[in-house]
Amino acid sequence: PGLHVLAIAFALEVSVGKTNTVMALNNSDVLLPCTFTTCIGFQDLVFTWYFNSTEMIYHGKIKSKASEPFLVGRNPRVEFVGSTTGKDNNISIVLKNVEFSDAGKYTCHVKNPKEKNAQHNATIFLTVVQKMVETDNTLTLIIVGVVGGLIGLLILFMLIKRVVLFIIKKTQDGKKECLVSSSGNDNTENGLAGSKAEQKAPPKA
């Protein structure tokens, strides 16, 4: 199972940056960052932003690296601010006039047909506050305690994954080549069972 996760994570990687929690002021605009990387390129790639896993708030498509995304559908309060012709494949959005009801989970989901429809996503948790206050430290600690319990495991998992990916990238000598041929990666349980999958195991971290 471990190999399978690495193969797919390495082929199509979606990231929301260093932290996956964002705090926004009520009635302000907030940036929800997301970038993706793919080592064999992409064609007709589809990306979708979801609120609390079910509500689609932005849906876009990108023909190729040479073109910017075009809009398929969106919530009127959401604005696309990314760019895919630059260095990063940036598919970030801005949520305008944030309300308390906007607090929750935002998922950036990417699907790449060129990689046997390999799909990946990354999640941001948005908190909305009335005002940015110089809080009493005990309150901050309580909040951190509660939130930390919930997302501590998630962050730990992300960190381990990042370290493993970093080690793999280091062994690549800067070349963006897939370790495992992505022809077999279709995000199913037998992700390595593709006919052309190279029998080359990634280096053990």
Side-chain angles (χ1 to χ4, degrees), residues 15 22 31 41 52 57 68 81 86-88 98 101 112 120 138 149 159-160 165 167 182-183 192-194:
S15 169
V22 173
L31 171 73
N52 287 340
I57 56 170
E68 289 292 341
V81 292
K87 189 167 152 257
D88 294 321
V98 172
S101 57
N112 187 11
H120 232 62
T138 34
L159 283 174
I160 291 168
L165 285 170
I167 291 165
S182 54
S183 58
L192 287 177

Side-chain angles (χ1 to χ4, degrees), residues 43-92:
Q43 204 164 2
D44 294 326
L45 180 137
V46 176
F47 67 96
T48 318
W49 277 90
Y50 292 101
F51 174 53
N52 287 340
S53 303
T54 53
E55 188 189 333
M56 191 181 79
I57 56 170
Y58 195 95
H59 183 41
K61 208 170 185 181
I62 315 163
K63 279 209 170 299
S64 69
K65 180 71 184 161
S67 60
E68 289 292 341
F70 63 87
L71 169 71
V72 179
R74 68 171 177 140
N75 179 304
R77 286 172 51 224
V78 174
E79 186 185 329
F80 181 79
V81 292
S83 170
T84 47
T85 53
K87 189 167 152 257
D88 294 321
N89 291 318
N90 187 332
I91 47 174
S92 304

Side-chain angles (χ1 to χ4, degrees), residues 85-153:
T85 53
K87 189 167 152 257
D88 294 321
N89 291 318
N90 187 332
I91 47 174
S92 304
I93 55 171
V94 165
L95 184 60
K96 296 186 168 295
N97 302 323
V98 172
E99 299 161 11
F100 290 110
S101 57
D102 292 324
K105 184 172 86 164
Y106 288 82
T107 308
C108 172
H109 182 273
V110 180
K111 184 173 167 184
N112 187 11
K114 199 170 178 181
E115 294 183 62
K116 284 271 185 178
N117 275 333
Q119 43 195 308
H120 232 62
N121 58 53
T123 302
I124 298 174
F125 296 93
L126 176 68
T127 321
V128 182
V129 293
Q130 185 54 53
K131 55 178 180 173
M132 298 290 188
V133 284
E134 303 79 44
T135 45
D136 178 339
N137 278 348
T138 34
L139 183 65
T140 313
L141 285 172
I142 291 166
I143 293 170
V144 168
V146 175
V147 176
L150 294 172
I151 60 171
L153 284 170

Side-chain angles (χ1 to χ4, degrees), residues 147-200:
V147 176
L150 294 172
I151 60 171
L153 284 170
L154 200 84
I155 289 171
L156 187 68
F157 173 73
M158 295 286 284
L159 283 174
I160 291 168
K161 193 170 133 186
R162 273 170 189 270
V163 169
V164 171
L165 285 170
F166 180 73
I167 291 165
I168 292 173
K169 279 191 179 126
K170 276 286 181 199
T171 60
Q172 287 281 300
D173 292 327
K175 288 185 191 134
K176 280 205 164 182
E177 289 169 3
C178 292
L179 279 180
V180 182
S181 160
S182 54
S183 58
N185 298 343
D186 56 0
N187 246 6
T188 54
E189 281 308 306
N190 57 348
L192 287 177
S195 54
K196 296 195 192 118
E198 294 171 34
Q199 300 303 313
K200 200 195 287 181

Side-chain angles (χ1 to χ4, degrees), residues 2-16:
L3 272 180
H4 162 67
V5 174
L6 274 180
I8 286 177
F10 193 72
L12 178 65
E13 178 73 3
V14 180
S15 169
V16 291

